[in-house]
Amino acid sequence: MITVIVPYRNAELYLGRCLKSLHDQDGDFEFLLVNDRSEDGGPEIAASYANEDGRFKLLDNERGPGVSGARNTGLDHAAGKWITF
């Protein structure tokens, strides 16, 4: 399995296109969507993909704020043999 960690914060304008691209991939993937305290419509967009496709998993940044903390949160929950961001 390949884990793809997607940290996002206030990326509503771009997140849908990113997640659609991931959704269209075939193969053994898990997509960890890590909300880094987003204040726009990003969490709703992420939830719509998670409700539609079981490969998408929603996480909230459990570490310090910023992309590093969000990536580390994703690493804490990754199940794949291979991991990418």
Side-chain angles (χ1 to χ4, degrees):
M1 177 189 313
I2 299 170
T3 299
V4 180
I5 300 171
V6 181
Y8 67 93
R9 180 176 189 188
N10 299 334
E12 177 179 24
L13 296 176
Y14 312 102
L15 188 60
R17 186 167 36 156
C18 170
L19 300 184
K20 177 166 181 0
S21 176
L22 294 175
H23 172 74
D24 291 345
Q25 301 305 308
D26 292 327
D28 191 17
F29 288 99
E30 76 171 344
F31 306 116
L32 303 181
L33 311 180
V34 185
N35 180 1
D36 185 24
R37 298 169 179 91
S38 192
E39 297 174 345
D40 63 1
E44 290 79 15
I45 294 168
S48 71
Y49 278 86
N51 289 333
E52 178 182 322
D53 186 335
R55 300 177 298 167
F56 288 87
K57 303 201 177 19
L58 303 177
L59 300 170
D60 287 317
N61 186 353
E62 299 166 350
R63 304 282 190 115
V67 70
S68 296
R71 286 178 177 168
N72 286 330
T73 293
L75 288 171
D76 290 343
H77 295 273
K81 180 177 180 180
W82 302 97
I83 300 171
T84 188
F85 301 99

